[in-house]
Amino acid sequence: MKITELLTKQTIKLQLDSQQKEAVIEELVTVLDTAGKLNDKEGYKEAVINREKQSSTGIGEGIAIPHAKTASVKEPAIAFGRSTAGVDYESLDAQPSHLVFMIAATEGANNTHLEALSRLSTLLMREEIRKQLLEAADEDEIIDIINTHDQDDEEEEEVQEEPTAEGKPAKILAVTACPTGIAHTFMAADALKEKAKEMGVDIKVETNGSSGIKHALTAKEIEEAPAIIVAADKQVEMERFKGKHVIEVPVTAGIRRPQELIEKAINQDAPIYKGSGGRSSKDENESSSKGRSGFYKHLMSGVSNMLPFVVGGGILVAISFFWGIKSADPNDPSFNSFAAVLKGIGGDNALALIVAVLAGFIAMSIADRPGFAPGMVGGFMASAAGAGFLGGLIAGFLAGYIVVLLKKVFTFVPQSLDGIKPVLLYPLFGIFFTGIIMHYIVNTPVKMVMDGLTHWLESLGTGNLVLMGIILAGMMAIDMGGPINKAAYTFGLAMIAAGNYAPHAAIMAGGMVPPLGIALATTIFRNKFSKRDREAGITCYFMGAAFITEGAIPFAAADPLRVIPSAVIGAAVAGGLTEFFRVTLPAPHGGLFVFWVTNHPVLYIISILIGAVVTAILLGILKKPVKQEA
């Protein structure tokens, strides 16, 4: 398939209107939507923005390639936008981007489409093509330039598979991979191959793209290679490199620093990979830690994997309350057998796992797969002992670092016995030491802390409760899904687990207000928002009602100085009111769809509506009228 079957005149915008990243993404998403390439404009835009959060797709040399693979795409397509002034795209070389290609891949895109999409990314690595695209006079010339340079990579594949000639140095091997597997994967591969050719070095690059693994490295090639370069932002098969010099870097390093990586590989300037996450040098440990360590990253790994249990289990419990708050109790007159089943599935099983899952994935983030079992066991012990979320957090970090220590301790085990480490030594000693410390040292004092916190909250007067509600709800709106938001949400879950349902009522209200308030503002103050914003505002009604604070992010990113303060103030008002009215909420998620499980459902809705109205009015006052489209 030719690239120009995906990039058409209808998906080209010769002059971008904006010079800001978020606005340019909106422009090109609109181009794709207008061309009929998307099923869900907002869903695709959200997927693109989520990809940007992992790492900027501004790759330098004046290029940005935002992309996403999602069911929101109706058919694979490419949109192209050009900016004479340049777009501030947070590029790797800190230079503005003048050529922006947005790649839209369907969830089930076939290999033909994916190969065309990936081929575009390799073409853009060539300076002459970039120059021609910048100077093109119209859409037809853009299409002609791409057609001229576009060709299948079958010949290249044959070259890749050539055996190393006698007398020549062994091949340098490389693996490239990015989370989406569309752009960066192939650009890094192309950069490495081009630089190797320039240096006269024989190289083979395996790509782990959306269409699968191409140019897979063979066991014989790995055995003969002096070193392997792994430029990847996602997990690739590493055990095959055991005993070899391995250079592990982000995929962007393959694009930006190919010569440095090739020279390191030639000189074997890299530690020997020992398998199961082991390394042999301090430098490698430090390098690895830069990409993998950090309290927030490990915590978010636990929280993000825990959330499906919270959402699914919490909503099932909330549905069971439809027959009555005590409808699952066989001794209560309101008992309903189906409600009891729902509560059993959601509460006694799904929600009962959340502390263990939190701890397990925190430990896994720290120590890779060997940390998972000790973390799960430690989290389960914390939950069973009543140490709650705080105990689970401690268990996760404790288990993770215990396994990291065990990896260092067991370096004396002969390489021939490396296979027993992940299946025997790490789980046995990891679970043992984590369990002993949790049982004898952690659980009892942490339970006392959690009990004390619960009793303190229960003893608070109305004034202090209102202040707490203001703070927690405001935190939900400050970064709308970021670390501050997650900290408040995790605190609410901990209080639910401890049997105190008041804080989470304020937290959920605070999370719903930003998108709801923005939606109201786009409806009431129509002259303050563009047509695109008003359309996005409709989506915000649903996202706000479902307790998805992230629905407000596009508006906050486009106008943070007005939107964020308005959202925080409105959320704080709603949170303060829920505590003033003494509203309690036992459901951990669900938004307005679980309002009936509160003790004061009408007052709860009123609190949220007042907060949303406050946000809307502030936006109406602060924002300036915009020029409306004809």
Side-chain angles (χ1 to χ4, degrees):
M1 169 177 276
K2 298 179 71 66
I3 292 173
T4 49
E5 292 181 49
L6 303 173
L7 175 68
T8 64
K9 291 173 65 174
Q10 290 72 35
T11 59
I12 295 175
K13 188 168 187 178
L14 285 178
Q15 186 54 52
L16 293 168
D17 298 328
S18 177
Q19 293 176 243
Q20 299 302 313
K21 181 176 181 177
E22 291 280 348
V24 165
I25 289 175
E26 174 69 33
E27 281 187 61
L28 291 180
V29 169
T30 301
V31 167
L32 289 170
D33 189 52
T34 303
K37 305 298 183 182
L38 305 179
N39 290 316
D40 178 359
K41 177 183 175 184
E42 290 304 317
Y44 174 69
K45 179 182 174 183
E46 182 181 358
V48 171
I49 290 174
N50 286 338
R51 172 61 186 87
E52 292 296 325
K53 290 178 181 177
Q54 297 175 29
S55 63
S56 175
T57 58
I59 61 170
E61 307 293 347
I63 306 168
I65 310 183
H67 55 274
K69 181 181 177 184
T70 168
S72 299
V73 176
K74 184 185 297 182
E75 58 181 274
I78 302 169
F80 169 59
R82 189 172 65 182
S83 172
T84 304
V87 178
D88 181 9
Y89 214 90
E90 304 170 10
S91 296
L92 297 174
D93 57 4
Q95 297 300 312
S97 297
H98 298 278
L99 305 174
V100 184
F101 284 85
M102 178 173 280
I103 297 176
T106 58
E107 193 70 54
N110 60 41
N111 288 355
T112 304
H113 289 136
L114 293 171
E115 286 168 5
L117 293 171
S118 63
R119 202 160 60 249
L120 168 68
S121 63
T122 61
L123 291 180
L124 293 175
M125 295 301 295
R126 295 164 58 181
E127 184 178 358
E128 70 271 21
I129 297 177
R130 299 196 299 269
K131 186 173 184 295
Q132 291 172 14
L133 291 172
L134 283 170
E135 296 172 352
D138 54 32
E139 292 90 345
D140 288 323
E141 191 171 346
I142 296 285
I143 298 294
D144 289 341
I145 291 167
I146 298 295
N147 274 332
T148 299
H149 296 283
D150 183 22
Q151 56 185 347
D152 294 333
D153 56 359
E154 292 175 355
E155 294 178 6
E156 177 190 352
E157 187 165 348
E158 291 175 8
V159 172
Q160 284 270 354
E161 297 301 328
E162 283 182 2
T164 304
E166 289 294 331
K168 288 184 66 177
K171 278 182 181 177
I172 299 297
L173 303 182
V175 179
T176 62
C178 67
T180 310
I182 296 175
H184 288 59
T185 298
F186 301 96
M187 298 185 81
D190 194 62
L192 287 165
K193 287 184 286 186
E194 287 293 320
K195 184 56 67 174
K197 182 178 179 182
E198 181 183 311
M199 297 169 65
V201 175
D202 200 6
I203 192 170
K204 176 176 178 180
V205 184
E206 172 186 297
T207 54
N208 285 232
S210 289
S211 57
I213 295 174
K214 295 185 67 177
H215 315 307
L217 306 181
T218 67
K220 186 173 186 297
E221 289 169 333
I222 293 170
E223 181 183 353
E224 295 175 350
I228 295 97
I229 300 166
V230 178
D233 286 339
K234 72 173 186 178
Q235 187 66 36
V236 298
E237 176 52 50
M238 295 292 294
E239 288 300 303
R240 54 187 166 154
F241 303 141
K242 190 183 298 183
K244 304 297 296 184
H245 293 277
V246 177
I247 303 163
E248 291 187 73
V249 293
V251 70
T252 51
I255 300 172
R256 301 300 305 159
R257 300 187 282 117
Q259 182 169 340
E260 175 190 331
L261 299 177
I262 292 170
E263 288 175 348
K264 280 189 172 185
I266 292 171
N267 298 325
Q268 296 187 322
D269 182 14
I272 293 176
Y273 187 81
K274 296 193 134 186
S276 300
R279 302 290 187 273
S280 63
S281 77
K282 178 181 177 182
D283 289 342
E284 176 62 16
N285 283 329
E286 289 174 353
S287 173
S288 178
S289 68
K290 289 178 184 177
R292 294 186 58 83
S293 67
F295 177 86
Y296 176 68
K297 177 180 179 180
H298 301 318
L299 175 61
M300 285 303 100
S301 177
V303 170
S304 62
N305 283 285
M306 174 192 72
L307 280 178
F309 293 84
V310 175
V311 175
I315 293 178
L316 286 175
V317 171
I319 293 172
S320 76
F321 292 156
F322 181 80
W323 289 273
I325 296 296
K326 297 183 178 180
S327 59
D329 183 358
N331 299 317
D332 192 87
S334 64
F335 173 73
N336 181 281
S337 58
F338 186 64
V341 170
L342 291 177
K343 187 174 184 299
I345 296 171
D348 300 338
N349 292 280
L351 293 182
L353 288 170
I354 58 178
V355 174
V357 170
L358 173 73
F361 280 97
I362 287 174
M364 186 174 177
S365 176
I366 296 168
D368 294 317
R369 192 175 301 171
F372 185 67
M376 282 284 290
V377 172
F380 187 79
M381 291 178 67
S383 179
F389 271 82
L390 181 56
L393 290 175
I394 295 172
F397 284 97
L398 175 67
Y401 288 113
I402 282 176
V403 174
V404 168
L405 180 61
L406 289 173
K407 289 181 179 181
K408 295 179 179 179
V409 169
F410 288 118
T411 54
F412 70 87
V413 176
Q415 185 173 335
S416 60
L417 298 177
D418 270 358
I420 71 169
K421 291 180 183 178
V423 298
L424 175 61
L425 299 181
Y426 297 151
L428 172 61
F429 289 98
I431 290 172
F432 172 73
F433 287 118
T434 300
I436 288 292
I437 295 173
M438 290 299 296
H439 181 80
Y440 286 107
I441 299 175
V442 175
N443 282 343
T444 300
V446 172
K447 182 179 186 300
M448 292 172 62
V449 170
M450 293 299 295
D451 290 344
L453 178 60
T454 302
H455 294 150
W456 175 71
L457 288 172
E458 290 172 348
S459 68
L460 287 178
T462 299
N464 288 330
L465 278 173
V466 170
L467 178 60
M468 181 187 68
I470 289 172
I471 293 171
L472 290 174
M475 288 172 67
M476 292 296 292
I478 288 176
D479 55 0
M480 303 175 188
I484 298 175
N485 171 285
K486 288 295 187 292
Y489 182 68
T490 303
F491 176 78
L493 294 180
M495 291 301 95
I496 288 178
N500 190 310
Y501 305 135
H504 203 67
I507 288 165
M508 195 177 293
M512 287 188 281
V513 162
L516 288 175
I518 289 169
L520 277 176
T522 60
T523 301
I524 300 171
F525 305 102
R526 298 177 64 82
N527 65 320
K528 302 293 182 80
F529 296 90
S530 67
K531 182 180 178 182
R532 287 196 302 267
D533 286 341
R534 294 197 300 272
E535 291 172 351
I538 296 173
T539 304
C540 279
Y541 278 113
F542 297 97
M543 298 186 81
F547 183 40
I548 303 174
T549 317
E550 288 83 349
I553 287 176
F555 293 87
D559 190 7
L561 294 180
R562 295 180 178 88
V563 173
I564 293 177
S566 301
V568 170
I569 293 170
V573 168
L577 287 173
T578 61
E579 296 307 303
F580 178 78
F581 294 134
R582 298 279 181 161
V583 177
T584 60
L585 178 64
H589 209 285
L592 290 178
F593 302 104
V594 296
F595 76 94
W596 71 81
V597 306
T598 67
N599 57 337
H600 300 300
V602 175
L603 291 176
Y604 190 48
I605 291 178
I606 289 173
S607 300
I608 294 168
L609 289 178
I610 291 174
V613 169
V614 168
T615 292
I617 291 174
L618 287 173
L619 287 173
I621 294 171
L622 295 175
K623 288 185 73 69
K624 297 178 181 179
V626 298
K627 183 178 179 181
Q628 299 299 315
E629 302 171 10

